[in-house]
Amino acid sequence: MTIKRDKILTGLILLIVGILFLAAPTTTTKIIYGAVGVVLAISGILRLIMALRIKEAGVMKILAIIFAAILLILGIFFLINPNFLIAYDYIIFGLLMIANGFVNILGVIKGEIKIQGSKFLYILLSAVLLIAGIVVLLHPFSAAAMLTRLIGIMLILSGVINLVIALRIRTK
């Protein structure tokens, strides 16, 4: 149940942040990045709590703790220094998307994430997320508004993928 809740929470947060990026690409960039810092810090805290509650001491628990710590540290850093995020946002969000996709794929392959029905859809959606992160890293745009819109679209895609995956996770 914890993984399902985590995926739903992550999906909703990514959807909200993605919509904000699309709605105001240039005029509220600093405000949005401040909000991203808050969201990342809160998400990191919640993921850390959930990761520490995982009873099995497997690879997923270790990866979940590491990912939670990264989110928390990034959130605090972006709150302190939002200009850094503006300068390097495509790298940060690309890496987060790659990490999320990788953790999803590894979790289902190792059997630590139990999927209802076919595992293929879960792996496919996670692979799309991973590839989208690579695309963001390899093709940064010089125009900040275009980059912000691209990140918004990728975050919305990431949010939808996490929500679809959450609906497919078995609770027992």
Side-chain angles (χ1 to χ4, degrees):
M1 186 72 165
T2 311
I3 293 173
K4 186 172 186 168
R5 253 186 306 179
D6 180 48
K7 290 293 174 199
I8 291 171
L9 177 65
T10 301
L12 291 174
I13 289 170
L14 291 171
L15 273 174
I16 291 167
V17 173
I19 290 168
L20 288 173
F21 272 51
L22 285 177
T26 54
T27 57
T28 60
T29 302
K30 284 188 179 183
I31 295 168
I32 292 171
Y33 287 147
V36 168
V38 170
V39 168
L40 286 174
I42 291 170
S43 180
I45 291 168
L46 293 174
R47 281 177 167 253
L48 186 59
I49 291 168
M50 287 185 233
L52 292 173
R53 294 171 89 187
I54 297 173
K55 292 180 181 159
E56 302 85 29
V59 173
M60 282 303 293
K61 181 173 184 169
I62 294 167
L63 288 175
I65 290 171
I66 291 169
F67 191 59
I70 289 169
L71 288 176
L72 180 59
I73 291 166
L74 284 175
I76 292 168
F77 182 75
F78 296 154
L79 285 170
I80 294 169
N81 188 5
N83 290 330
F84 177 83
L85 182 59
I86 293 168
Y88 299 102
D89 55 3
Y90 70 94
I91 294 172
I92 293 158
F93 286 109
L95 289 174
L96 286 174
M97 291 164 55
I98 290 168
N100 195 358
F102 178 73
V103 168
N104 288 345
I105 292 169
L106 185 63
V108 78
I109 289 172
K110 294 193 87 36
E112 294 178 6
I113 297 177
K114 311 260 187 271
I115 298 297
Q116 191 174 37
S118 172
K119 294 179 182 181
F120 176 75
L121 176 64
Y122 184 90
I123 292 173
L124 177 67
L125 292 174
S126 297
V128 167
L129 178 61
L130 189 112
I131 291 168
I134 292 169
V135 168
V136 168
L137 282 179
L138 295 179
H139 297 289
F141 299 99
S142 57
M146 284 301 293
L147 179 58
T148 304
R149 285 187 183 105
L150 175 64
I151 291 170
I153 291 167
M154 294 301 178
L155 288 171
I156 290 170
L157 174 67
S158 180
V160 169
I161 288 170
N162 274 284
L163 290 173
V164 168
I165 288 169
L167 295 174
R168 307 274 308 169
I169 292 176
R170 290 187 307 224
T171 55
K172 292 279 175 182

